Amino acid sequence: MRRKIVLLGATGSIGRQCLDILKYSFDYELVGVSLNGRFENLEPYLFYFDSLRYVAIRDADRARLFKERHPSYEVLSGEDCNVLLVQACKEADVFNALMGNAGLAPTLEAIEEGRDLFLSNKESIVIGSSLLEKAFARSKSQVYPVDSEHVALAKLLDQAKELDIPEKDIETLYVTASGGALRDLKKEELASVTPDKVLSHPTWNMGSKITVDSATMVNKGFEKIEAAFLFHFPLEKVKAIICRESLVHALLAYTKDGRKEYLYEYSPCDMKVAIAYALSKGTLKAHRNNAEDEKAVHALSFSQIDPDFYPLFDLTVKTYRDYGNVGMILYNYVDTYAIDAFLKGEIGFLDIQEALKRVYDVLADVREELAIGRLAEIEFRLSDRAKEIVEEIVDRKRRKP
């Protein structure tokens, strides 16, 4: 019997790749999808999913137009359409491929209802880990990471169990980074880079925001935070390292007979590998490295993250450690608005760094705990504050002769 599944963020990069897998799946039947407004990207998939009943579109005007074109579907709309969709699709697993802070509320709804959750939305953890901990404590819900790095870590931790490696002997979990599109530039060249240059990722084909976050290493800071939460590891025992080819997605360091040894996950640069493994709930047989793989890995290029070239990696983790989820709500809003301004040509690449450094200073005056009943109010207020921070930089740039 096929399991029901609802896909949030169906027309984004991860969402479309998930649809490509689900349309040939014998394990799942897709019963609901959500998107912001560009339903034209969904229409080519409708043929494959006779089981699809609910379509949630955030933009109300676009939702009405979709309903006119496709009257057989139940159409939901509005700011809370993702939560409404989870509620409507009873007993369905939830695949959260949303971008940004909007992913937290439906994640919490899925956990509260005891649904199994496939989580690609980084912000659910980065801005909501304290709420998720409480929700998981009273729920039967299981979470399965979707990011390639966290899927890789899940495989490595399973392999460590198979090899009878004691948990106490596991020293460090590593997520890998490509270094982003600017990795071969000199620091003094960063001030003049164009959006096109930043969006030319060397190994992955991703959405605009995460591609810029890759260049700044903000996303790797997020992934370190995610890994610590997902695998119950101390933040200081999760590290990041650059693998230029993006073929090793994670490593696990452990001690054996007084020596440090490593397990690593070596696989193609293809998110469908990670998505398929997540959808299997860890039952898909993981590839085990052979002699040919080991030879290939030894030829790869690994390096440490240079904190002078990538200052936002450490700042992202420091902001989370010092100011928690509330601090990260403001941090991620500023990051989102600054990236948008950069892509529009209103500010330079290094101004993204300036904006996020400003966040850390501002947060010294923000001392409050995140509570589910105040989430919407806190997000609304900090979103406005984030806009002010970025607009100050944009205005200064406009006045500059």
Side-chain angles (χ1 to χ4, degrees):
M1 182 177 176
R2 294 197 300 168
R3 299 194 296 271
K4 294 179 180 179
I5 190 169
V6 56
L7 174 57
L8 310 179
T11 56
S13 175
I14 297 297
R16 292 196 304 273
Q17 291 179 81
C18 184
L19 287 172
D20 286 336
I21 292 173
L22 291 176
K23 69 186 183 183
Y24 298 121
S25 173
F26 293 103
D27 298 316
Y28 289 97
E29 60 175 14
L30 183 67
V31 294
V33 296
S34 78
L35 54 143
N36 275 334
R38 294 173 60 185
F39 60 73
E40 292 84 357
N41 292 335
L42 175 67
E43 288 176 320
Y45 290 97
L46 296 178
F47 169 83
Y48 295 94
F49 298 107
D50 291 340
S51 58
L52 183 62
R53 179 180 173 189
Y54 294 95
V55 176
I57 301 177
R58 185 169 170 267
D59 185 302
D61 291 335
R62 298 289 290 168
R64 281 191 291 271
L65 182 57
F66 181 87
K67 183 65 174 178
E68 291 173 6
R69 291 192 189 182
H70 306 282
S72 63
Y73 296 98
E74 296 284 341
V75 179
L76 308 171
S77 66
E79 293 292 328
D80 58 349
C81 68
N82 288 292
V83 171
L84 295 174
L85 180 63
V86 173
Q87 293 171 344
C89 298
K90 302 295 183 186
E91 300 180 358
D93 292 348
V94 177
F95 192 112
N96 189 343
L98 293 167
M99 289 291 293
N101 293 1
L104 175 57
T107 289
L108 285 168
E109 184 65 28
I111 298 169
E112 294 288 355
E113 295 195 14
R115 315 288 188 81
D116 282 353
L117 177 67
F118 307 105
L119 191 58
S120 172
N121 176 255
K122 300 174 185 296
E123 291 80 4
S124 289
I125 293 174
V126 171
I127 74 167
S129 58
S130 60
L131 298 180
L132 297 188
E133 283 180 2
K134 295 173 184 175
F136 276 122
R138 56 180 181 266
S139 173
K140 64 177 184 179
S141 177
Q142 297 293 316
V143 62
Y144 300 94
V146 174
D147 277 357
S148 64
E149 295 83 359
H150 303 107
V151 166
L153 285 174
K155 292 178 181 178
L156 293 178
L157 288 166
D158 283 344
Q159 185 179 354
K161 288 180 182 177
E162 292 174 11
L163 295 173
D164 294 324
I165 298 171
E167 285 189 22
K168 65 180 180 61
D169 291 344
I170 299 176
E171 290 188 356
T172 312
L173 302 181
Y174 291 90
V175 293
T176 62
S178 67
L182 309 181
R183 63 191 186 184
D184 293 324
L185 298 185
K186 296 178 181 177
K187 185 180 177 182
E188 53 268 26
E189 296 177 291
L190 296 179
S192 60
V193 296
T194 64
D196 284 345
K197 175 65 176 174
V198 177
L199 294 176
S200 300
H201 197 281
T203 57
W204 291 98
N205 181 16
M206 306 180 292
S208 297
K209 182 182 184 294
I210 194 170
T211 303
V212 179
D213 280 338
S214 175
T216 63
M217 284 285 187
V218 166
N219 76 313
K220 210 51 55 177
F222 284 178
E223 288 173 8
K224 172 173 175 168
I225 294 164
E226 285 180 90
F229 177 85
L230 288 166
F231 303 111
H232 310 290
F233 258 70
L235 198 57
E236 63 273 13
K237 292 183 71 173
V238 180
K239 298 182 180 180
I241 191 170
I242 291 175
C243 173
R244 289 176 62 89
E245 298 83 359
S246 298
L247 293 174
V248 168
H249 301 274
L251 303 95
L252 181 153
Y254 65 100
T255 53
K256 180 180 180 182
D257 300 329
R259 302 190 316 273
K260 182 176 284 192
E261 304 280 353
Y262 292 91
L263 302 177
Y264 55 85
E265 200 267 352
Y266 173 69
S267 64
C269 279
D270 187 346
M271 274 306 301
K272 289 178 183 175
V273 174
I275 294 168
Y277 188 83
L279 288 171
S280 79
K281 299 186 177 181
T283 63
L284 191 66
K285 186 172 175 60
H287 172 72
R288 290 291 181 253
N289 298 319
N290 54 37
E292 186 178 336
D293 295 331
E294 291 177 9
K295 182 179 179 181
V297 168
H298 283 299
L300 299 179
S301 303
F302 293 92
S303 61
Q304 299 296 323
I305 294 175
D306 180 356
D308 190 48
F309 194 83
Y310 298 108
L312 294 184
F313 172 70
D314 286 335
L315 182 65
T316 300
V317 177
K318 181 178 173 64
T319 302
Y320 176 80
R321 188 180 62 238
D322 293 350
Y323 295 110
N325 294 141
V326 171
M328 294 309 292
I329 291 174
L330 179 60
Y331 191 92
N332 191 55
Y333 272 132
V334 168
D335 184 48
T336 300
Y337 297 146
I339 287 173
D340 185 57
F342 168 67
L343 295 177
K344 291 177 179 176
E346 296 175 338
I347 63 175
F349 178 75
L350 291 181
D351 293 317
I352 300 173
Q353 291 185 15
E354 179 187 341
L356 290 173
K357 289 175 182 177
R358 174 69 176 139
V359 170
Y360 190 85
D361 297 333
V362 167
L363 285 171
D365 299 322
V366 179
R367 294 289 182 179
E368 57 185 311
E369 294 294 321
L370 189 61
I372 187 63
R374 298 186 56 233
L375 179 59
E377 177 264 320
I378 291 172
E379 286 197 299
F380 182 79
R381 177 162 43 83
L382 294 183
S383 174
D384 282 349
R385 185 68 184 96
K387 289 175 184 175
E388 292 173 4
I389 291 171
V390 175
E391 284 170 2
E392 287 172 7
I393 298 174
V394 172
D395 288 343
R396 191 182 71 233
K397 289 286 184 178
R398 285 174 180 158
R399 291 195 303 267
K400 213 170 187 180

